[in-house]
Amino acid sequence: CLLIIVAVIQLFPLIWLIDFSFASSNELFTNGLLIIPKKIRWDNYVTAFVDGNFLHYLKNSFLINVLAVILVVVISIMAGYACQRMKWKMSNLVKTILLLGMMIPIHATLLPNYKIYNSLGITDTIWALLIPYVAFSLPQGLFLMTGFIEAIPKELEEAAVVDGCGIYRIVFQIITPMLKPSIATVAIMTFLNNWNEFMMASTYLSSPKWKTLPFSILEFTGEHSSNYAVQFAVMALTAAPAVIVYIALNKHITKGVAMGAVKG
């Protein structure tokens, strides 16, 4: 019963958002937390979709997030294998330094990163978002990957070496297929963590070319400041992809984190 109450409290903001997005702006000022619209206003979503440049920002968000996920997964696997399996002097130190990145808030680096990107001439480019997204997702990915790699029997790699396999073949053809649960977890968590990121995008980007989905809300709010119902529709559209991904793949997140914790 207690868990049901907690679940309702957690879901209420989403229910409230969807409820208000189907009403007219005049109905939003009625009494009560929720309202029953006299007429379901699908045109709110049509206006939000067209005037909010939704497709353009959605394309940018998917492209940047998918590239970030791929880079984080590949680098996490290689770095995790290098730190966990390969014997070299500073492996533990390098692993510790990389994991310390989990303690640094992503927005604490806004100003220094901006100065570096500005001097390199990569502000207002896709790299201005990809670099910090990958860098701040990597420690979490490395943490999960090393836990799984540690649990893989070393005899598999020894047998592969006897058969003449090189290091890259061992990592990508033998180790990587055994990391599917952790790969799924790292990919989903990286995607969700970066999907709604706005502060860095607004700091590093100035033109609409690479702006991501949260800008749809910002720009629409400026143009339609009095049309509150449509603003709710824009927010619902922006939140929908992340909500769908989380609902569809939640079991993989739970499974991967639990297995990584036990194995690590």
Side-chain angles (χ1 to χ4, degrees), residues 169-184:
R169 192 172 175 188
I170 291 173
V171 171
F172 292 108
Q173 291 189 4
I174 296 174
I175 300 298
T176 300
M178 302 180 70
L179 297 175
K180 287 181 180 178
S182 63
I183 289 173

Side-chain angles (χ1 to χ4, degrees), residues 181-192:
S182 63
I183 289 173
T185 304
V186 170
I188 296 164
M189 294 181 74
T190 300
F191 183 88
L192 293 177

Side-chain angles (χ1 to χ4, degrees), residues 4-262:
I4 293 174
I5 295 172
V6 172
V8 170
I9 294 172
Q10 293 291 327
L11 288 173
F12 181 78
L14 184 61
I15 296 170
W16 178 75
L17 175 66
I18 295 172
D19 178 43
F20 276 35
S21 69
F22 284 114
S24 65
S25 294
N26 293 331
E27 290 176 317
L28 301 186
F29 298 99
T30 57
N31 294 327
L33 291 175
L34 296 175
I35 58 176
I36 301 176
K38 295 179 180 178
K39 177 184 177 184
I40 295 179
R41 299 293 299 269
W42 293 102
D43 57 307
N44 290 342
Y45 282 88
V46 175
T47 304
F49 192 86
V50 175
D51 293 354
N53 292 322
F54 184 80
L55 279 180
H56 174 69
Y57 293 132
L58 180 66
K59 180 193 71 174
N60 288 345
S61 287
F62 264 114
L63 177 61
I64 293 170
N65 278 275
V66 167
L67 287 175
V69 165
I70 293 171
L71 288 171
V72 168
V73 168
V74 173
I75 297 172
S76 295
I77 292 172
M78 293 191 294
Y81 186 84
C83 294
Q84 197 68 38
R85 281 288 204 261
M86 300 174 73
K87 302 299 179 183
W88 46 294
K89 273 188 178 181
M90 302 178 67
S91 60
N92 288 330
L93 177 62
V94 171
K95 179 183 174 183
T96 302
I97 292 172
L98 290 173
L99 291 178
L100 283 175
M102 296 176 70
M103 301 173 62
I104 303 173
I106 186 171
H107 298 126
T109 62
L110 272 175
L111 181 58
N113 276 350
Y114 181 81
K115 295 189 72 173
I116 293 170
Y117 296 159
N118 196 41
S119 63
L120 294 175
I122 60 173
T123 52
D124 203 26
T125 68
I126 191 173
W127 297 106
L129 293 185
L130 265 183
I131 293 172
Y133 286 1
V134 171
F136 282 92
S137 299
L138 189 58
Q140 186 180 56
L142 177 64
F143 175 76
L144 291 170
M145 291 296 180
T146 50
F148 274 83
I149 291 172
E150 187 180 2
I152 297 174
K154 293 183 180 179
E155 290 76 14
L156 288 173
E157 297 155 61
E158 293 169 356
V161 171
V162 171
D163 290 340
C165 287
I167 183 67
Y168 293 105
R169 192 172 175 188
I170 291 173
V171 171
F172 292 108
Q173 291 189 4
I174 296 174
I175 300 298
T176 300
M178 302 180 70
L179 297 175
K180 287 181 180 178
S182 63
I183 289 173
T185 304
V186 170
I188 296 164
M189 294 181 74
T190 300
F191 183 88
L192 293 177
N193 288 339
N194 294 328
W195 180 259
N196 288 322
E197 199 286 320
F198 176 73
M199 189 63 68
M200 285 199 165
S202 63
T203 302
Y204 302 145
L205 303 179
S206 55
S207 67
K209 183 177 180 181
W210 292 111
K211 285 183 177 180
T212 50
L213 203 51
F215 281 95
S216 180
I217 300 174
L218 181 67
E219 293 189 4
F220 199 91
T221 302
E223 295 176 8
H224 302 267
S225 57
S226 61
N227 197 342
Y228 298 107
V230 182
Q231 291 180 38
F232 279 105
V234 175
M235 288 185 277
L237 284 174
T238 303
V243 172
I244 292 169
V245 168
Y246 183 81
I247 292 173
L249 304 176
N250 179 46
K251 62 179 181 180
H252 296 287
I253 301 175
T254 307
K255 181 181 177 182
V257 172
M259 289 178 68
V262 172

